[in-house]
Amino acid sequence: MISSMTGFGRSEKINETLKLTVELKSVNHKYLDLNIKMPRKFNQFESSIRNVLKKYCSRGKIDLFISYEDLSDSTKSLRYNKALAQEYLEYYKMIRDELNVADDIKTSVIARCPDVLVLEEQDADEDQLWHALEDVLENAFSSFKESRVSEGESLKNNILEKLDDMDRIVDFIEKHLPDIISEYRSKLEDRVKEFLENSQIDESRIAAEVTIFADKIAVDEEIVRLRTHIRKMRDILNKGGEVGRNLDFLAQEMNRESNTILSKSSNIEITDCGIELKTCIEKIREQVQNIE
């Protein structure tokens, strides 16, 4: 099973006490790069969140968003800061005495002073909170994994089609190389005849020139290696797993062999084939960059 590094997942949980939403998306990256945006109360779970995610993927730049809404009425309480209220009262009395103003200090005045009465959020049960979060995380990550696998299968099929095209091109090159050498020999003989007119052609010299030319354009080794790389890539794709790095290496090796074939080419048809090979490989490399 092949996984893409592009994916999206979402899960939500709503009950009488909370609304919890987890959403994540990813793009390709050499390593696992996780960026989490979540309420402060979940910061203590960051390490656990990362450990859960590692069960579902190993590479990719991932943005994870967690939103939380407390729907219960029992999580908030009013706190009375007696010491602060007393301090406010003492200063009010000091102002009254020093400025000789009317005493209008009332309970409502003290109560409205900053931080005398504070609405506080009670600490939630950590185990209960993590249990709720973990459940939503697992569902979101599972959905995320499914989307990456679906995209990965599309990439796999596309690459396999490109490998079939490469096999066809290599077959053409291998089939037409003898004809190119034979054509070169005929042209060489015709050229020599023009220069020598009715003189006897030195067959040994012609054979030597043809041998040199054949050696110069010989791409047998490159074709063998290219076929090996194509076969190896096809096997890796069919086997599946975390194969992105291996595929990227093979694509680089394929590109090296196609460059050599192109540099040795002196025939327009083989040159076109070399360019077509490089085009296929470049498309494969683009696809491989997105495979985990």
Side-chain angles (χ1 to χ4, degrees):
M1 192 166 57
I2 298 292
S3 291
S4 167
M5 283 191 282
T6 302
F8 176 82
R10 189 179 189 277
S11 181
E12 186 175 74
K13 181 177 184 178
I14 303 176
N15 57 30
E16 64 278 1
T17 61
L18 59 82
K19 179 181 179 181
L20 190 58
T21 305
V22 172
E23 187 174 295
L24 69 160
K25 58 183 180 179
S26 69
V27 294
N28 61 314
H29 196 273
K30 288 184 178 181
Y31 310 103
L32 181 60
D33 180 13
L34 176 60
N35 178 41
I36 308 176
K37 293 184 179 179
M38 58 185 172
R40 252 186 334 183
K41 69 190 312 173
F42 290 109
N43 286 349
Q44 58 187 318
F45 303 131
E46 182 173 347
S47 178
S48 299
I49 293 171
R50 291 180 181 275
N51 288 335
V52 174
L53 179 62
K54 287 177 182 177
K55 297 190 300 182
Y56 293 88
C57 63
S58 61
R59 293 175 67 201
K61 181 176 175 56
I62 301 172
D63 290 315
L64 174 64
F65 305 91
I66 300 175
S67 64
Y68 174 79
E69 185 178 348
D70 196 330
L71 304 179
S72 66
D73 297 325
S74 59
T75 59
K76 294 181 179 179
S77 62
L78 195 62
R79 179 176 61 83
Y80 165 50
N81 191 333
K82 182 179 178 180
L84 187 59
Q86 183 67 39
E87 193 171 349
Y88 275 120
L89 181 58
E90 291 174 359
Y91 276 105
Y92 278 140
K93 289 179 179 179
M94 188 184 301
I95 294 171
R96 178 200 63 190
D97 295 341
E98 291 182 355
L99 300 180
N100 193 25
V101 293
D103 189 347
D104 62 348
I105 304 173
K106 298 179 180 179
T107 304
S108 59
V109 174
I110 301 296
R112 285 197 295 269
C113 290
D115 298 328
V116 171
L117 295 177
V118 180
L119 192 62
E120 288 186 334
E121 193 169 313
Q122 296 179 347
D123 292 336
D125 183 279
E126 288 186 12
D127 291 338
Q128 186 177 357
L129 192 60
W130 169 246
H131 180 73
L133 177 60
E134 185 179 26
D135 185 47
V136 184
L137 283 173
E138 292 281 1
N139 290 334
F141 290 168
S142 179
S143 170
F144 172 68
K145 179 67 175 177
E146 288 176 8
S147 73
R148 284 165 62 111
V149 168
S150 176
E151 175 70 16
E153 286 301 305
S154 297
L155 291 175
K156 169 186 171 182
N157 293 332
N158 188 275
I159 293 173
L160 288 174
E161 290 177 5
K162 296 292 185 297
L163 292 176
D164 290 340
D165 290 340
M166 289 180 65
D167 269 331
R168 174 182 55 79
I169 297 169
V170 172
D171 286 341
F172 180 89
I173 293 173
E174 194 172 38
K175 178 181 178 181
H176 284 77
L177 275 178
D179 295 336
I180 293 171
I181 295 172
S182 177
E183 181 182 347
Y184 175 77
R185 181 186 180 96
S186 297
K187 288 182 178 179
L188 184 62
E189 288 178 344
D190 291 342
R191 218 174 285 134
V192 171
K193 285 178 179 178
E194 286 181 18
F195 283 115
L196 300 179
E197 294 183 352
N198 296 324
S199 302
Q200 185 69 29
I201 299 175
D202 187 348
E203 286 294 335
S204 61
R205 183 58 188 271
I206 293 291
E209 289 292 336
V210 171
T211 300
I212 292 171
F213 174 76
D215 185 62
K216 180 180 177 182
I217 68 167
V219 290
D220 302 56
E221 293 181 8
E222 287 79 7
I223 287 176
V224 169
R225 286 194 292 268
L226 197 51
R227 286 193 187 281
T228 300
H229 296 328
I230 292 171
R231 185 170 60 253
K232 180 67 174 177
M233 182 171 285
R234 192 177 278 117
D235 291 342
I236 290 174
L237 285 167
N238 290 325
K239 182 179 179 181
E242 297 173 5
V243 296
R245 290 188 176 93
N246 288 339
L247 294 177
D248 189 43
F249 171 76
L250 283 174
Q252 292 179 45
E253 293 299 305
M254 287 178 176
N255 192 55
R256 184 177 292 111
E257 302 304 337
S258 67
N259 282 336
T260 304
I261 291 174
L262 195 56
S263 67
K264 289 185 175 182
S265 172
S266 61
N267 175 275
I268 187 63
E269 287 184 307
I270 302 300
T271 298
D272 289 343
C273 286
I275 294 172
E276 194 175 353
L277 265 179
K278 285 183 65 64
T279 301
C280 284
I281 294 168
E282 188 57 36
K283 290 179 179 178
I284 287 175
R285 290 187 69 180
E286 289 176 3
Q287 303 287 43
V288 164
Q289 296 298 319
N290 291 315
I291 292 179
E292 186 176 7

